Amino acid sequence: MRGAMMHAPGDVRVVDRDEPVIEEPTDAVIKVVAACVCGSDLHPYRGVEPVNGPTPMGHEYVGVVEQIGADVKNVKIGDFVVGSFWASDNTCEICRAGYQSRCVHAVLMGTLGAQAERLRVPLADGTLVATPGQPDEDLIPSLLAASDVLGTGWFAAVAAEAGPGKTVAVVGDGAVGLMAVLAAKQLGAERIIAMSRHEDRQRLAREFGASDIVEERGDAGVARIKELTDGLGAHSVIEAVGTQESMMQAIRSTRPGGHVGYVGVSHDVALPGDELFFALVHLTGGPAPVRRFLPELIDLIWKREIDPGKVFDLDLPLEDAAEGFKAMDERRAIKALLRP
Amino acid sequence: MRGAMMHAPGDVRVVDRDEPVIEEPTDAVIKVVAACVCGSDLHPYRGVEPVNGPTPMGHEYVGVVEQIGADVKNVKIGDFVVGSFWASDNTCEICRAGYQSRCVHAVLMGTLGAQAERLRVPLADGTLVATPGQPDEDLIPSLLAASDVLGTGWFAAVAAEAGPGKTVAVVGDGAVGLMAVLAAKQLGAERIIAMSRHEDRQRLAREFGASDIVEERGDAGVARIKELTDGLGAHSVIEAVGTQESMMQAIRSTRPGGHVGYVGVSHDVALPGDELFFALVHLTGGPAPVRRFLPELIDLIWKREIDPGKVFDLDLPLEDAAEGFKAMDERRAIKALLRP
């Protein structure tokens, strides 16, 4: 089959790869209907993370079940399924508490390479959620978004305790930040401040529910958030970048007693203990347990109550995966969908 | 009046100080019945924090109201009162949300010096809570504990979401850690693991409700907590020290999705963003909003349902304040009560 591999920073190629097979009785193999390029895929692409030899790429996927292992009970051949970027058993104590991304048996899907024609999904019963039927074509981008960026933005909004009466600020205007705006809106936030200096992303943020746009960054961005919140800071702040500057911007934009939900993968971040201490905020984040939210998100998409698929502004055949990476790296695209 | 002053690290003297007076119409002046030495008072004593000239000491106090400003309505002359170590208006948006230690008008009581015969309390209406009547003598240490160490330990236990069905680990066997054990017990925790290598503190921890004692520290301590919790880590971990080692020990002892409540004043702590990210824990802490809990804590003490005053193992006249500091610094005492 064909699949995308990263050979070195900046070097993504679609090549022939071995067909995945059932390796464990809990596996499924799906025919990938759509996959995409993640902001975190840009970390090795940009050399921020090492590339240790040719690596299969992609961890976001929707598709149709083609094979199942002997122990798989919750999905059947022919089901259209959405899965998270972490495979999880969904039965261990950590999963049952809602933290499936740290399942005791968690497998990172990125190591398997979802930007391909087929994908082996470990722990299929715990990982995959079947849609109520075969989706209309126009729902596919939204269902794909649920696999990571929507689920991650949703977790960030939940972690930040976005909800009625709350002012929410979102640091980061990438796909996850934009999805967090949508999530905050759905969760009933009163006011949603998107921090962005790009006109196309500002427009999308407003479509997803942002009431205010702040273009300033760093200290100036913090000062602007304080101005908009009677000098107190936002109740809920979502961090969707992962740098030292963005984390400190998020923490400093939060009022005492407020909540920071952070989902940007941390790179070279060190949080100063004294500042964090006196900030008196709640800090929650990490790899999003998307599986917790999938049934609810699929339901909202199926009923057409949300349209997160709008975050894909580039739609390419799988063969053009390299262009998807390039367009996102150059910020010509917010998020690239790939169709095998 | 007489009051304790720190002149330099290791140099505490009881000297003549000016009598406090009503400076603002929202002030009260109280006759201090009991004050004490705080673990955080040891930071300048040990030179961990600078001493900028002679400084009044003490921020924990109970006493009787002697004077009130024209605007004070909630306490009257003759009331026996307990206050927090932060003066707060208790009416601003931050206070109403329960974070009085970051009140928009907060005043740090430490700057006023509670280890003295009298104390000016700013924002008396928001800061002081009157007891139901004049307390029996034996209740005074417990009421004094509510002023800081009990309130701080309680906040840590609440921040760590200690409660029914939860395994709670407490890092730090100082007065605050011991009070956190008591708080976790009151909040209904199923299992409480106190981390201590001092026999007297272990004994007190058991009296306050600890079910297990772990003597190991650092990585060995983390491994022991994991052993005791099916390899997962504790649901709730309380950090009551404030060093890099203790913070990392707390974070690493917490299961994914669990809660860390930290109240040790941070010194030279830098939290590595990547480890914190993948830990997927909730981190909440800072200067405890003790005022939030005072009515409930006074009620529990008044009904003799808790006896936090046992944490004081040294009872001295105010004139011997220097010995109180010395005994705590040398770990001969857990906490020293001072009587003017």
Side-chain angles (χ1 to χ4, degrees):
Chain A
M1 67 165 188
R2 302 289 285 170
M5 302 280 278
M6 189 177 293
H7 288 251
D11 180 6
V12 172
R13 305 176 205 168
V14 176
V15 299
D16 287 323
R17 288 180 51 200
D18 290 342
E19 290 285 344
V21 293
I22 300 288
E23 296 178 11
E24 302 285 340
T26 47
D27 286 350
V29 170
I30 68 168
K31 179 181 184 334
V32 177
V33 172
C36 50
V37 183
C38 184
S40 68
D41 292 337
L42 297 181
H43 299 156
Y45 190 83
R46 289 171 173 162
V48 177
E49 285 173 8
V51 181
N52 301 315
T55 308
M57 295 304 295
H59 53 263
E60 303 157 280
Y61 54 95
V62 294
V64 175
V65 177
E66 280 194 342
Q67 303 172 48
I68 54 174
D71 294 349
V72 175
K73 293 176 184 67
N74 297 347
V75 294
K76 59 184 190 304
I77 291 168
D79 279 354
F80 191 95
V81 292
V82 186
S84 156
F85 59 100
W86 284 95
S88 55
D89 62 25
N90 213 28
T91 57
C92 76
E93 208 173 318
I94 303 298
C95 282
R96 280 184 282 132
Y99 295 90
Q100 291 92 338
S101 46
R102 286 291 313 275
C103 170
V104 298
H105 297 117
V107 180
L108 189 52
M109 293 300 300
T111 58
L112 300 165
Q115 296 166 9
E117 292 181 282
R118 285 180 182 75
L119 174 69
R120 180 174 74 87
V121 180
L123 304 168
D125 271 349
T127 305
L128 298 173
V129 179
T131 56
Q134 297 299 314
D136 292 338
E137 178 60 30
D138 68 319
L139 289 184
I140 285 173
S142 287
L143 292 168
L144 176 62
S147 177
D148 180 353
V149 281
L150 174 61
T152 295
W154 199 274
F155 169 63
V158 168
E161 299 210 349
K166 299 283 187 77
T167 294
V168 179
V170 181
V171 179
D173 62 359
V176 172
L178 293 167
M179 294 289 95
V181 169
L182 181 154
K185 180 71 179 174
Q186 282 292 314
L187 292 167
E190 184 172 301
R191 187 177 194 183
I192 302 167
I193 307 168
M195 306 189 84
S196 171
R197 49 180 58 182
H198 298 90
E199 209 182 324
D200 55 335
R201 291 161 193 245
Q202 291 175 2
R203 196 174 52 243
L204 208 46
R206 286 200 187 274
E207 278 187 50
F208 286 141
S211 50
D212 301 80
I213 302 288
V214 164
E215 298 210 344
E216 293 87 344
R217 282 189 195 173
D219 291 346
V222 172
R224 192 79 190 94
I225 297 291
K226 292 262 174 85
E227 267 177 45
L228 292 169
T229 54
D230 298 327
L232 300 178
H235 300 91
S236 302
V237 178
I238 290 159
E239 194 284 335
V241 183
T243 62
Q244 184 73 23
E245 185 189 25
S246 64
M247 280 296 280
M248 296 318 296
Q249 185 177 325
I251 291 166
R252 291 170 184 162
S253 298
T254 309
R255 67 179 54 196
H259 292 75
V260 181
Y262 67 100
V263 289
V265 183
S266 290
H267 284 96
D268 297 322
V269 170
L271 301 181
D274 51 352
E275 181 168 350
L276 193 62
F277 183 85
F278 288 103
L280 191 56
V281 297
H282 301 76
L283 190 63
T284 304
V290 171
R291 179 61 183 81
R292 189 204 310 177
F293 307 108
L294 275 182
E296 181 183 359
L297 299 180
I298 290 172
D299 186 55
L300 287 169
I301 293 164
W302 206 259
K303 293 178 179 162
R304 297 180 189 274
E305 289 180 16
I306 57 174
D307 188 6
K310 282 193 282 194
V311 78
F312 293 103
D313 54 352
L314 185 62
D315 195 323
L316 297 169
L318 173 63
E319 290 295 326
D320 296 342
E323 167 56 16
F325 276 79
K326 197 157 184 285
M328 282 177 61
D329 178 45
E330 295 169 0
R331 295 181 78 91
R332 285 185 282 116
I334 297 171
K335 195 161 176 74
L337 188 146
L338 302 175
R339 296 181 190 264
Chain B
M1 68 164 188
R2 302 290 284 171
M5 303 280 279
M6 189 177 294
H7 288 250
D11 181 7
V12 172
R13 305 178 204 167
V14 177
V15 300
D16 288 324
R17 287 179 52 199
D18 290 341
E19 290 286 343
V21 295
I22 300 290
E23 296 178 11
E24 302 285 339
T26 47
D27 286 350
V29 170
I30 69 168
K31 179 179 185 332
V32 176
V33 171
C36 50
V37 182
C38 185
S40 69
D41 293 336
L42 297 181
H43 299 156
Y45 189 83
R46 289 170 173 162
V48 178
E49 285 172 9
V51 181
N52 300 314
T55 308
M57 294 305 295
H59 53 263
E60 302 157 281
Y61 55 95
V62 294
V64 176
V65 178
E66 281 195 340
Q67 303 172 48
I68 55 173
D71 293 348
V72 174
K73 293 175 185 63
N74 297 347
V75 295
K76 57 184 192 303
I77 291 169
D79 279 354
F80 191 95
V81 291
V82 186
S84 155
F85 58 99
W86 284 96
S88 56
D89 62 25
N90 213 27
T91 57
C92 77
E93 210 172 317
I94 303 300
C95 281
R96 280 183 283 133
Y99 294 90
Q100 291 92 338
S101 47
R102 285 293 312 275
C103 169
V104 297
H105 298 117
V107 179
L108 189 51
M109 293 301 298
T111 59
L112 298 165
Q115 296 166 8
E117 292 181 282
R118 286 182 181 74
L119 174 68
R120 181 173 74 86
V121 180
L123 304 168
D125 271 348
T127 306
L128 297 173
V129 179
T131 55
Q134 297 300 313
D136 291 340
E137 179 61 29
D138 68 317
L139 289 184
I140 285 175
S142 287
L143 292 168
L144 177 62
S147 177
D148 180 352
V149 281
L150 174 61
T152 295
W154 199 274
F155 169 62
V158 168
E161 299 210 347
K166 299 284 187 76
T167 294
V168 179
V170 180
V171 179
D173 63 359
V176 171
L178 293 167
M179 294 288 96
V181 169
L182 179 153
K185 181 70 180 173
Q186 281 292 313
L187 293 167
E190 185 172 302
R191 188 177 193 183
I192 302 168
I193 308 168
M195 306 189 83
S196 171
R197 49 179 59 180
H198 299 90
E199 209 182 325
D200 55 333
R201 292 160 193 246
Q202 291 175 2
R203 196 174 53 243
L204 208 44
R206 286 201 187 273
E207 278 187 51
F208 287 142
S211 50
D212 301 79
I213 302 288
V214 164
E215 298 210 344
E216 293 87 345
R217 284 190 193 173
D219 291 347
V222 172
R224 193 77 191 96
I225 297 292
K226 292 262 174 84
E227 268 177 43
L228 292 168
T229 54
D230 298 326
L232 301 177
H235 300 92
S236 302
V237 179
I238 290 159
E239 192 285 335
V241 183
T243 61
Q244 184 73 22
E245 185 190 26
S246 64
M247 280 296 280
M248 296 319 296
Q249 185 177 323
I251 292 166
R252 291 169 183 162
S253 297
T254 309
R255 67 179 55 196
H259 292 76
V260 181
Y262 67 100
V263 289
V265 183
S266 291
H267 285 97
D268 298 322
V269 171
L271 302 180
D274 51 354
E275 180 169 349
L276 192 62
F277 183 85
F278 289 102
L280 193 56
V281 297
H282 301 77
L283 190 63
T284 304
V290 172
R291 178 61 182 82
R292 190 204 309 175
F293 307 107
L294 275 182
E296 182 183 359
L297 299 179
I298 290 172
D299 187 55
L300 287 169
I301 293 165
W302 207 259
K303 293 177 179 162
R304 296 178 189 275
E305 290 181 18
I306 57 174
D307 188 6
K310 280 192 283 193
V311 79
F312 293 102
D313 55 353
L314 186 61
D315 195 321
L316 296 169
L318 172 63
E319 290 296 325
D320 296 341
E323 167 56 15
F325 276 79
K326 196 155 183 286
M328 282 177 62
D329 178 44
E330 294 169 1
R331 294 181 78 90
R332 285 185 281 116
I334 296 172
K335 194 162 177 73
L337 188 147
L338 301 175
R339 297 182 190 263

